[in-house]
């Protein structure tokens, strides 16, 4: 028996009541969260990898985004086209340049500030699983765009693709909620200008992450209420499938010498 507000209830009755009680959901179908657990976990992972790369700079070369290249003349090829698919996502957790000076420090500071700025409200609105999906898919989407538009032997690293995906997600969510979007539009515009002006920045990944984040978030927030979770899951699978096909096509181009 279990104590209830009035008298006692059997364990089976309590369990049945819990199953029949409709679970609360966020505005867009996710489970309500207390605290930005995923956001802070991502910050911790990014900072930890940055510190590891500071001690072992070779980590950046091994996990950065790279299309198809040889480290040494006559050596084995490396990159996504050489079956190193993991680079599509690991590149979002390593930072170009090691140490506490130069572009690496600027990159990690800006990206983590942006993640802490937009991450918690997005995680609260979307729920943890959907928020994490937006972040990771934006990272991969940025890598795929870079894979197509940048030189295959030019490496890139950093969380900017994922961060721009969150910018795109925030814009879509704001539009859906009919909130003021001028702030996020200005933030996106300023950062895109910097991306194109500063030649050391992989603007291709920024564009790819922005478009992917906006697209998958639109599927989440505009999903019909009926069977919403099914629609959102199907949209996620569709985006993943599209990214996989795009990588396969690019792999074939590079390995066949078509480009």
């Amino acid at each position: 028996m279990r104590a209830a507000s009035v008298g006692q209830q059997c364990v089976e009755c309590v369990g049945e009541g819990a199953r029949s009680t409709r679970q609360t959901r966020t505005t867009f179908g996710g489970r309500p969260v207390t605290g930005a657990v995923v956001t802070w976990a991502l910050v911790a992972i990014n900072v930890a990898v940055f510190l590891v790369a500071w001690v072992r700079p070779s980590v950046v070369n091994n996990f950065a985004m790279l299309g198809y290249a040889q480290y040494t003349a006559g050596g084995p090829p490396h990159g996504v086209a050489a079956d190193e698919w993991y680079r599509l996502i690991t590149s979002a957790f390593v930072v170009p340049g090691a140490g506490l000076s130069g572009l690496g420090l600027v990159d990690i500071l800006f990206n983590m500030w942006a993640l802490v700025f937009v991450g918690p409200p997005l995680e609260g609105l979307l729920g943890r699983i959907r928020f994490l999906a937006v972040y990771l898919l934006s990272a991969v989407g940025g890598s795929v765009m870079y894979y197509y538009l940048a030189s295959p032997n030019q490496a890139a690293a950093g969380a900017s693709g994922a961060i721009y995906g969150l910018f795109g997600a925030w814009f879509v969510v704001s539009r859906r909620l009919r909130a003021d979007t001028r702030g996020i539009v200005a933030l996106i515009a300023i950062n895109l200008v910097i991306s194109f002006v500063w030649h050391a920045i992989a603007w291709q990944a920024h564009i790819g992450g922005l478009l992917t984040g906006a697209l998958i978030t639109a599927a989440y927030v505009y999903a019909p209420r009926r069977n919403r979770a099914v629609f959102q899951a199907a949209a996620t699978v569709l985006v993943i499938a599209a990214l996989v096909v795009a990588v396969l096509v690019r792999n074939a181009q590079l390995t066949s010498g078509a480009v």
Side-chain angles (χ1 to χ4, degrees):
M1 304 296 289
R2 294 288 185 268
S5 56
V6 179
Q8 301 285 323
Q9 288 184 340
C10 65
V11 176
E12 290 79 5
C13 296
V14 173
E16 181 63 30
R19 285 190 293 271
S20 61
T21 301
R22 188 171 184 178
Q23 298 296 316
T24 58
R25 294 287 177 176
T26 65
T27 305
F28 304 119
R31 292 184 178 181
V33 299
T34 55
V37 174
V38 174
T39 298
W40 288 109
L42 289 171
V43 171
I45 293 171
N46 277 279
V47 172
V49 174
F50 173 77
L51 295 177
V52 170
W54 183 16
V55 177
R56 295 181 64 92
S58 61
V59 169
V60 178
N61 289 333
N62 293 334
F63 294 100
M65 178 59 204
L66 181 68
Y68 196 59
Q70 294 172 310
Y71 290 155
T72 58
H78 291 275
V80 177
D83 296 328
E84 296 175 348
W85 283 58
Y86 57 85
R87 291 176 180 270
L88 294 166
I89 186 64
T90 58
S91 58
F93 293 94
V94 294
V95 179
L100 300 180
S101 61
L103 182 61
L105 180 62
V106 174
D107 186 87
I108 191 72
L109 287 177
F110 171 77
N111 287 333
M112 293 307 99
W113 168 82
L115 179 55
V116 172
F117 179 70
V118 302
L122 276 176
E123 186 175 344
L125 288 168
L126 297 174
R128 289 172 182 164
I129 295 177
R130 290 163 181 79
F131 171 74
L132 182 60
V134 171
Y135 186 91
L136 296 179
L137 288 176
S138 297
V140 175
S143 294
V144 171
M145 183 71 79
Y146 184 84
Y147 194 25
Y148 270 83
L149 299 182
S151 174
N153 63 355
Q154 183 176 353
S160 299
I163 298 301
Y164 271 77
L166 296 186
F167 289 165
W170 187 247
F171 172 77
V172 172
V173 167
S174 298
R175 293 285 297 179
R176 183 67 177 88
L177 298 177
R178 298 181 179 179
D180 188 354
T181 60
R182 287 175 296 181
I184 187 62
V185 168
L187 181 62
I188 293 173
I190 291 171
N191 282 281
L192 284 178
V193 170
I194 295 174
S195 299
F196 286 108
V197 172
W198 197 345
H199 298 292
I201 295 178
W203 60 267
Q204 302 91 334
H206 295 181
I207 299 296
L210 180 68
L211 294 177
T212 305
L215 178 63
I216 191 65
T217 304
Y220 289 165
V221 303
Y222 287 99
R225 285 186 173 274
R226 186 173 183 179
N227 298 322
R228 177 164 53 186
V230 174
F231 184 92
Q232 292 170 336
T236 304
V237 171
L238 185 61
V239 170
I240 293 174
L243 292 173
V244 169
V245 170
V247 173
L248 289 173
V249 171
R250 184 59 172 164
N251 284 352
Q253 291 177 343
L254 293 179
T255 54
S256 67
V259 292

